Amino acid sequence: MQCRVIDSHTGGEPTRTIVSEVPFIGGSVAARLAMMREQFDFLRTALIHEPRGSEVMVGAVVLPAIDPKNTAGVIFFNNAGYLGMCGHGTIGVVETLRWLGRLQPGRHCFETCVGEVQAILHEDRRVTLENVASYRVASNCPIRLADGLLLSADISYGGNYFALLDVSHTDWLDRPAGYLIDRATEILGLVQKQYPQVDHIELFGPAVSRDNDSRSFVLCPGHQYDRSPCGTGTSAKLACLAADGELAPGQRWLQESFIGSVFEASYEWLDKASKQIRPSVSARAFVNGDLQLVVDPEDPFCWGIPSRP
Ligand code: PYC
């Protein structure tokens, strides 16, 4: 089996993109995702699970577009399964296709399983993602932790569902990542009792750099944290800021990640009455690997180590 994958990172968060032809053809991206999940999930586990991959990695498959006016379709996946959309991953895919000579600067439309997104590849290799319609679902939901701490969560959609919690009155963002993973995992369990669709937790507070507007720690579904500021998470955050009147359309927002990388974002209203916005998220990705998959039938872990229970 020939399978070429290109590695990149966007703000420190890796994207491993399959650029060879894959056998799941026909139908929408959602239909092809279902086929991959049912019949070809070994590709996901081979690329993302150890020993070839890691818990932090996001994978992408580039597919022929259904609509000929579009550039490509994309399926995103991680150690836990499949993602609706992925912001850092889209920017990584665009840089990957540019690096391969398959994409020129300009506007490109990608089909994802949650809808079409636009990506503008600039001459300086920055990429601006114009994401799917994003909106806040609920605000000020009380979350009581086991130690008695009371927090408040906004539930918001930016291509994936997030619970966003202000933790600026705690010292959490000064603590090691493992502490935040544990706290965010507890919060996820509590949030999902009322909002089962939420699979990402975004804890935010003041930025470290005075140039930036906010710093966030994003827990992903595979219980690892996003090294980047998270494109869909930044979109969900902008939907909350827009709904609260705290950020004007077109105003620049600099979102800092837990490791200090930055995404530049802004939004336009899609529908002011229902507070739906179109977020734009800009960043640059870097290609850092070009891999040919080798599957040795004598290797017991050639398709990845199964997930730990
Ligand atoms: O950038 O949207 C994102 C993302 C989702 C999960 C990891 N990164």
Side-chain angles (χ1 to χ4, degrees):
M1 185 183 62
Q2 290 289 314
C3 183
R4 185 182 183 195
V5 293
I6 306 292
D7 283 348
S8 65
H9 80 88
T10 315
E13 179 74 357
T15 307
R16 179 162 273 184
T17 305
I18 303 178
V19 295
S20 298
E21 267 182 38
V22 287
F24 14 107
I25 40 167
S28 64
V29 175
R32 285 178 285 176
L33 184 154
M35 196 186 297
M36 179 173 174
R37 180 188 277 136
E38 279 152 32
Q39 295 172 40
F40 300 95
D41 196 53
F42 57 85
L43 272 179
R44 179 185 69 80
T45 57
L47 291 175
I48 302 296
H49 285 192
E50 294 174 10
R52 226 183 252 101
S54 85
E55 284 183 326
V56 72
M57 198 157 253
V58 168
V61 193
V62 179
L63 307 160
I66 297 295
D67 184 333
K69 80 170 171 29
N70 295 336
T71 304
V74 196
I75 294 172
F76 295 107
F77 49 89
N78 65 9
N79 57 334
Y82 294 83
L83 283 164
M85 230 307 275
C86 184
H88 93 269
T90 306
I91 294 169
V93 165
V94 170
E95 170 57 12
T96 293
L97 296 177
R98 187 206 65 79
W99 186 82
L100 288 167
R102 295 190 194 172
L103 218 60
Q104 299 304 314
R107 179 176 280 273
H108 302 277
C109 184
F110 290 88
E111 298 163 358
T112 78
C113 71
V114 294
E116 291 183 3
V117 298
Q118 305 279 323
I120 302 158
L121 171 59
H122 302 281
E123 293 286 346
D124 66 359
R125 289 158 57 173
R126 278 177 75 77
V127 176
T128 298
L129 162 69
E130 294 176 358
N131 199 2
V132 291
S134 302
Y135 51 88
R136 183 161 70 184
V137 175
S139 58
N140 299 320
C141 309
I143 305 290
R144 172 83 65 187
L145 300 184
D147 65 3
L149 184 68
L150 183 63
L151 295 173
S152 171
D154 279 6
I155 310 300
S156 188
Y157 178 76
N160 295 299
Y161 284 95
F162 289 79
L164 298 101
L165 301 96
D166 183 353
V167 294
S168 52
H169 56 295
T170 71
D171 64 354
W172 290 11
L173 292 176
D174 298 326
R175 295 205 183 214
Y179 177 86
L180 284 145
I181 289 176
D182 290 347
R183 286 302 208 164
T185 301
E186 182 186 354
I187 292 168
L188 180 65
L190 296 168
V191 168
Q192 282 181 334
K193 286 185 186 156
Q194 212 185 334
Y195 297 99
Q197 69 273 46
V198 170
D199 58 2
H200 290 72
I201 299 293
E202 185 166 333
L203 307 174
F204 64 89
V208 172
S209 163
R210 272 197 278 150
D211 294 339
N212 300 330
D213 294 297
S214 170
R215 180 181 185 215
S216 59
F217 174 94
V218 177
L219 180 78
C220 297
H223 296 279
Q224 254 302 335
Y225 75 96
D226 195 333
R227 273 54 168 170
S228 84
C230 191
T232 51
T234 300
S235 301
K237 170 81 180 165
L238 291 191
C240 296
L241 292 166
D244 287 334
E246 289 177 6
L247 189 74
Q251 198 180 333
R252 191 177 73 154
W253 180 264
L254 295 179
Q255 186 68 46
E256 187 182 277
S257 74
F258 190 60
I259 67 157
S261 51
V262 181
F263 283 177
E264 182 178 334
S266 64
Y267 76 90
E268 63 177 50
W269 285 115
L270 282 179
D271 180 19
K272 210 167 173 184
S274 64
K275 305 223 160 118
Q276 290 208 29
I277 63 159
R278 169 91 60 218
S280 295
V281 178
S282 299
R284 193 169 160 191
F286 299 87
V287 167
N288 57 7
D290 183 350
L291 178 81
Q292 180 63 49
L293 198 70
V294 174
V295 178
D296 180 344
E298 290 183 20
D299 175 359
F301 298 125
C302 65
W303 300 115
I305 302 172
S307 293
R308 284 185 291 270

